[in-house]
Amino acid sequence: MLVPGAADASALAALNKQLDAWIEESRGQTGNYGRLPDGKARFDVEPDHTAEAPRLRRIGNPVDISDVYREFLWDGPFPDMAVDLYGPDIRCEYSRINVKAPGSGFKVYFHQDHPFEPHTNPDVVVTLFFLSDMTEENGCLCVVPGSHRERYSHWQDGKFTGTAAPDKQDDFWARAIPVTGTAGDVLLMDTWMLHASRVNQSTGDRRMLICDYAAADSIARGPMKIPTDVGPKIVRGQDTRTVRLCGETLEMPENYTEDTFFILQEEKMAAAE
Ligand SMILES: O=C(O)CCC(=O)C(=O)O
């Protein structure tokens, strides 16, 4: 579901100002940098990142290092949207920012998010907040309607690759629709929805802030792939001693050592293309 104008202009400006500063800072770096609690890099740059043409593509858990992002994701409009979906008790799991610089060759292959962090039940909503306009030209998110009822392995050849069924990617593209919108809109996406995105062929950044919220009684079965210093955190209602189970059999992921799943996907898919 797309919610237009989910944040006011001043919040949007403050989030983008902080992101501008991080992109500026990245000019002084030649590779991934900063540390998440598990030792992986917090800031992930594309292989062709340079000082002149910075290509900072992901920031893991901006809530750990920015009051502006923490207040927005914990106290802003999204926790209440999760309450509307799942009831009063909501946990903020983890967050990340994805940036596609103009002319960036960074694309994302079809995957579902749930297989990265299987939970005891599927009450997990992925909020994808548009920090910039989203167009087909700049590589907006594309989703496969109805795919939240489908299940695909994200393992290939004995390795967790973070990609759903590589041999079905063309079929997924044939069924996919683009989610275009304006800066300030948010897409609420089921944790099982297949999604992907193409490269940015426009002259401006494509910027997206993503955060997962779960019902408090939906418990992750393993570590978060982007661990946070300050969470997971109950952002509405109360924590619970009870856990709600669903009877589904789920494939567990591998706790991969690569800094981001973009690298995992590229390792598998670049070879196949
Ligand atoms: O940034 C995109 O286009 C896709 C993001 C995504 O799927 C993710 O970060 O989990």
Side-chain angles (χ1 to χ4, degrees):
M1 178 174 66
L2 187 70
V3 182
D8 61 41
S10 63
L12 182 64
L15 295 166
N16 269 314
K17 186 173 171 201
Q18 174 60 76
L19 179 52
D20 289 341
W22 281 323
I23 293 173
E24 203 49 41
E25 182 185 83
S26 78
R27 290 180 191 273
Q29 304 289 336
T30 53
N32 294 352
Y33 59 100
R35 287 286 158 252
L36 292 166
D38 64 356
K40 290 183 195 168
R42 184 182 300 283
F43 296 88
D44 175 278
V45 298
E46 292 185 52
D48 56 355
H49 167 87
T50 60
E52 297 72 36
R55 295 247 198 279
L56 176 61
R57 71 177 163 183
R58 171 168 274 197
I59 302 166
N61 279 309
V63 293
D64 290 353
I65 52 172
S66 159
D67 293 343
V68 173
Y69 277 85
R70 195 177 315 127
E71 280 163 23
F72 184 69
L73 292 177
W74 289 1
D75 307 327
F78 304 153
D80 289 331
M81 295 181 187
V83 166
D84 288 345
L85 290 170
Y86 305 134
D89 302 323
I90 298 296
R91 190 175 53 255
C92 177
E93 297 285 40
Y94 71 101
S95 57
R96 58 275 192 204
I97 300 170
N98 290 347
V99 180
K100 294 185 190 188
S104 155
F106 154 47
K107 59 189 165 193
V108 179
Y109 296 90
F110 279 102
H111 63 284
Q112 299 164 308
D113 283 356
H114 203 90
F116 285 77
E117 278 95 19
H119 278 60
T120 56
N121 69 64
D123 284 358
V124 183
V125 63
V126 187
T127 58
L128 301 112
F129 178 63
F130 300 175
L131 291 169
S132 68
D133 291 350
M134 293 286 156
T135 65
E136 289 192 65
E137 194 190 9
N138 75 9
C140 68
L141 198 80
C142 296
V143 300
V144 178
S147 59
H148 59 292
R149 295 191 200 91
E150 301 168 14
R151 301 292 181 260
Y152 298 96
S153 178
H154 288 58
W155 286 73
Q156 284 91 41
D157 304 325
K159 184 169 165 49
F160 182 77
T161 63
T163 304
D167 56 331
K168 293 194 169 70
Q169 294 280 316
D170 289 344
D171 300 340
F172 298 151
W173 276 118
R175 295 169 53 200
I177 56 167
V179 185
T180 57
T182 306
D185 298 350
V186 68
L187 173 69
L188 304 183
M189 187 177 79
D190 188 285
T191 175
W192 281 104
M193 180 72 80
L194 276 170
H195 58 287
S197 62
R198 294 194 162 99
V199 300
N200 180 357
Q201 295 179 299
S202 78
T203 53
D205 279 355
R206 194 221 71 168
R207 299 176 165 198
M208 191 153 66
L209 169 64
I210 311 174
C211 187
D212 289 32
Y213 297 91
D217 62 3
S218 180
I219 310 294
R221 299 296 299 123
M224 292 288 142
K225 297 300 167 294
I226 312 178
T228 155
D229 292 318
V230 295
K233 164 148 177 90
I234 294 291
V235 286
R236 287 293 182 278
Q238 296 182 334
D239 209 350
T240 172
R241 287 198 308 275
T242 61
V243 55
R244 190 159 37 94
L245 305 174
C246 74
E248 193 172 351
T249 299
L250 299 178
E251 193 172 44
M252 294 301 289
E254 196 170 30
N255 201 15
Y256 52 85
T257 54
E258 287 84 349
D259 287 333
T260 61
F261 85 101
F262 304 141
I263 301 169
L264 289 185
Q265 288 198 327
E266 277 161 13
E267 281 168 1
K268 174 71 188 171
M269 299 303 290
E273 284 180 346

